[in-house]
């Protein structure tokens, strides 16, 4: 049995014509071949070693999950401490009474939405309006707009 690092393939001289075997092919025993295939069946990968001989390696780690940027509305609301939520509600009511519905419209839109997209211009503008009104600091706003957790994701139980 032969192994080629270039093709990462096995070649059996009894089955493959010499012209079809890559020049870098190295001999391995039938036992080595069987052990490599058993390792592959158990989830390992067969890779060429530094010397061109095949060896088993662990599979690469799965990629990290994509960041959570769509939150359940209640999860978004809970990013604000209770006192801040109360202050936002009061500020929205006072602004509405003074003729400025901007913050109240933002809160109403959040309440009516199936999810809060942290990257949506409307979300960013609403949070910026809270900063401008002195309801949030810049660092608090950054925390509110930071990646969510799987528990906060839209569609997860609240």
């Amino acid at each position: 049995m032969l192994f080629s690092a270039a093709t990462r393939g096995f070649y059996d001289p009894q089955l493959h014509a010499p012209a079809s075997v890559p020049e870098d092919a190295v001999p391995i025993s039938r036992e080595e071949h069987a052990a490599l295939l058993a390792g592959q069946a158990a989830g390992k990968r067969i890779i060429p070693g530094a010397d061109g001989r095949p060896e088993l390696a662990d599979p690469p780690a799965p990629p990290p999950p994509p960041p959570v940027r769509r939150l359940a509305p209640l999860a978004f609301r809970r990013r604000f401490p209770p006192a801040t939520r109360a202050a936002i509600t009061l500020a929205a009511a006072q602004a509405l009474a003074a003729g400025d519905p901007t913050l109240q419209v933002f809160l109403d839109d959040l309440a009516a939405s199936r999810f809060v997209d942290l990257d949506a211009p409307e979300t960013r503008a609403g949070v910026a309006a809270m900063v401008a009104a002195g309801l949030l600091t810049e660092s608090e706003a950054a925390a509110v707009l930071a990646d969510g957790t799987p528990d906060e994701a839209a569609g997860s139980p609240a």
Side-chain angles (χ1 to χ4, degrees):
M1 186 65 63
L2 302 168
F3 175 78
S4 166
T7 65
R8 294 185 180 216
F10 294 101
Y11 297 87
D12 187 335
Q14 295 176 357
L15 299 175
H16 298 94
S20 68
V21 177
E23 289 183 25
D24 73 329
V26 294
I28 63 166
S29 69
R30 296 265 177 207
E31 293 77 21
E32 287 175 295
H33 182 246
L36 289 163
L37 293 181
Q40 186 178 42
K44 299 279 188 170
R45 296 181 310 138
I46 300 172
I47 63 167
D51 60 358
R53 297 187 53 76
E55 57 186 47
L56 292 172
D58 289 325
V68 175
R69 301 299 296 162
R70 286 185 169 188
L71 306 185
L74 183 57
F76 179 76
R77 184 170 166 76
R78 287 181 176 161
R79 287 183 156 213
F80 301 92
T84 303
R85 288 195 304 258
I88 291 168
T89 300
L90 180 59
Q94 290 172 340
L96 184 60
D100 181 2
T102 308
L103 186 54
Q104 186 61 53
V105 169
F106 174 66
L107 297 177
D108 291 346
D109 288 348
L110 289 176
S113 65
R114 293 182 306 143
F115 61 85
V116 178
D117 183 344
L118 297 173
D119 297 315
E122 299 83 9
T123 304
R124 293 192 164 276
V127 171
M130 291 180 208
V131 171
L135 299 167
L136 294 177
T137 65
E138 289 288 344
S139 63
E140 289 169 331
V144 165
L145 295 172
D147 290 345
T149 65
D151 289 347
E152 292 179 305
S156 69

